[in-house]
Amino acid sequence: MDSAEQDLLKPESVPEGEDAAATLKDTLSDEEQEILRKELEKVEEEIQTLNHVLAAKERRLAEIKRKLGVTPLTELKQNISKGLQDVASTNVYRKTSETLSNAGQRASAAISTVGSVITKKLEDVKNSPTFKSFEEKVESLKSKVGGPKQSTGDFEEVLNSAANASASATEDLTEKDEENH
């Protein structure tokens, strides 16, 4: 390239705006315009050649991937996996993970404490004089309705048997009442 051609290619020598092309063309000599036209053709040919080479490389790449069994879905999975690994290696992710882990441990401890408190309160209620009195009344009702105490079950068994006994007593009364009418 000669110095005139190099001057034309410098960014600061190119005018800007809508009339830049017309203004620049008017300032160029016929010889300079011809040089630029030839260079334009050469660059366009190089771009076209590079596009052909790129298309051929892309076809070859697709062929190799097909032979290896690499599908777009496989590539997507690999990209996502790599992206997740990249994210997991960041300081922000590690700090957030540690914070959430600590919060989870604290929540677990709090829930365990609440469960212990509730269990303790239920035991206190079961051992309270009011509950014992209620339990004795249910036992008494059961012995009056269902006969002598057959087993020493827990409170739930006592309630169930008392309910069954009162249901059968109600049925007996209903049958006798129907016979009298």
Side-chain angles (χ1 to χ4, degrees):
M1 278 189 199
D2 62 4
S3 65
E5 189 176 332
Q6 287 179 350
D7 289 340
L8 292 175
L9 297 177
K10 289 184 181 176
E12 60 271 359
S13 68
V14 178
E16 293 183 20
E18 290 180 9
D19 298 325
T23 306
L24 185 60
K25 186 178 178 185
D26 293 339
T27 61
L28 296 175
S29 69
D30 289 340
E31 185 182 321
E32 291 171 334
Q33 288 181 17
E34 186 60 33
I35 292 171
L36 287 176
R37 280 190 198 105
K38 286 181 182 179
E39 186 173 353
L40 176 65
E41 287 176 16
K42 183 180 176 186
V43 170
E44 285 176 342
E45 286 176 15
E46 289 174 353
I47 290 173
Q48 191 174 14
T49 302
L50 290 172
N51 281 334
H52 289 299
V53 170
L54 179 61
K57 295 283 185 185
E58 287 176 343
R59 283 191 300 274
R60 179 67 179 141
L61 175 70
E63 181 183 332
I64 292 170
K65 285 181 178 181
R66 183 182 50 79
K67 287 180 180 179
L68 289 174
V70 177
T71 64
L73 182 59
T74 307
E75 287 184 61
L76 179 64
K77 286 179 183 177
Q78 289 172 348
N79 289 343
I80 290 173
S81 177
K82 181 168 180 355
L84 289 175
Q85 288 174 350
D86 292 346
V87 167
S89 66
T90 63
N91 287 335
V92 173
Y93 176 83
R94 278 187 261 145
K95 287 179 182 178
T96 303
S97 177
E98 289 171 9
T99 302
L100 291 176
S101 176
N102 290 339
Q105 290 171 354
R106 288 180 184 151
S108 177
I111 289 170
S112 175
T113 302
V114 168
S116 298
V117 168
I118 290 172
T119 302
K120 175 85 169 96
K121 289 294 181 186
L122 288 174
E123 288 175 4
D124 291 348
V125 166
K126 188 175 179 183
N127 294 331
S128 70
T130 306
F131 186 81
K132 294 251 187 228
S133 172
F134 177 72
E135 193 173 30
E136 288 171 4
K137 288 179 183 176
V138 169
E139 285 291 330
S140 171
L141 176 65
K142 180 184 174 203
S143 65
K144 287 179 184 175
V145 174
K149 186 175 178 183
Q150 295 173 357
S151 67
T152 57
D154 64 1
F155 180 68
E156 186 176 329
E157 288 177 7
V158 171
L159 281 179
N160 286 336
S161 63
N164 290 338
S166 68
S168 67
T170 305
E171 287 176 8
D172 290 343
L173 290 175
T174 306
E175 287 175 6
K176 287 180 183 177
D177 193 31
E178 287 176 359
E179 288 175 2
N180 289 338
H181 287 108

